[in-house]
Amino acid sequence: MNPAPNRDWILNELVTTSRARHAVLLSADGLAVAASEGVDRNLADTISAIASGMQSLSRSGAQFVHDTPTPWEQTMVSYQGGYLFVLAAGDGSYLVVSAGKDTDVEGLSFQMAKTI
């Protein structure tokens, strides 16, 4: 079996071009598979567990948004010091990105979608 490819460079590029703070890619089962520079294994695992729960809870709210089933795409949480985004990244994986309060949210959203 071939080892999984290293995707950290993609997340480093996203963080650099979008002025985001950190990025983590996690699998459908909630395991971190890549992280941007400055995110150690413990933080990546913690953020992956949090993001896995957040997307699950967000999916459950779909019926509140629309009468017919609608797929979940993104969850954004705003904190006093910045934002946390969780996005569907295809094949059951998720992209988690953090950014400061001065971030251009629209520009960052575009970069995240482009990265996915």
Side-chain angles (χ1 to χ4, degrees), residues 1-112:
M1 178 160 73
N2 293 334
N6 184 323
R7 297 180 186 103
D8 294 352
W9 69 271
I10 297 169
L11 300 182
N12 288 332
E13 189 175 297
L14 169 64
V15 168
T16 302
T17 59
S18 66
R19 295 181 32 206
R21 185 163 184 241
H22 298 300
V24 174
L25 180 66
L26 60 138
S27 63
D29 54 1
L31 299 175
V33 295
S36 63
E37 219 171 281
V39 179
D40 65 24
R41 188 69 197 179
N42 285 338
L43 180 56
D45 289 343
T46 299
I47 292 304
S48 294
I50 291 167
S52 184
M54 286 174 62
Q55 66 80 25
S56 179
L57 290 169
S58 295
R59 285 178 191 276
S60 299
Q63 68 186 24
F64 189 68
V65 173
H66 200 272
D67 293 334
T68 59
T70 184
W72 169 83
E73 296 175 350
Q74 175 179 312
T75 299
M76 181 180 101
V77 180
S78 177
Y79 298 92
Q80 186 174 4
Y83 303 97
L84 180 69
F85 301 88
V86 182
L87 291 87
D91 295 330
S93 60
Y94 309 102
L95 175 63
V96 185
V97 177
S98 67
K101 208 55 161 174
D102 62 344
T103 297
D104 171 12
V105 173
E106 186 177 351
L108 177 56
S109 293
F110 174 77
Q111 287 296 330
M112 290 184 295

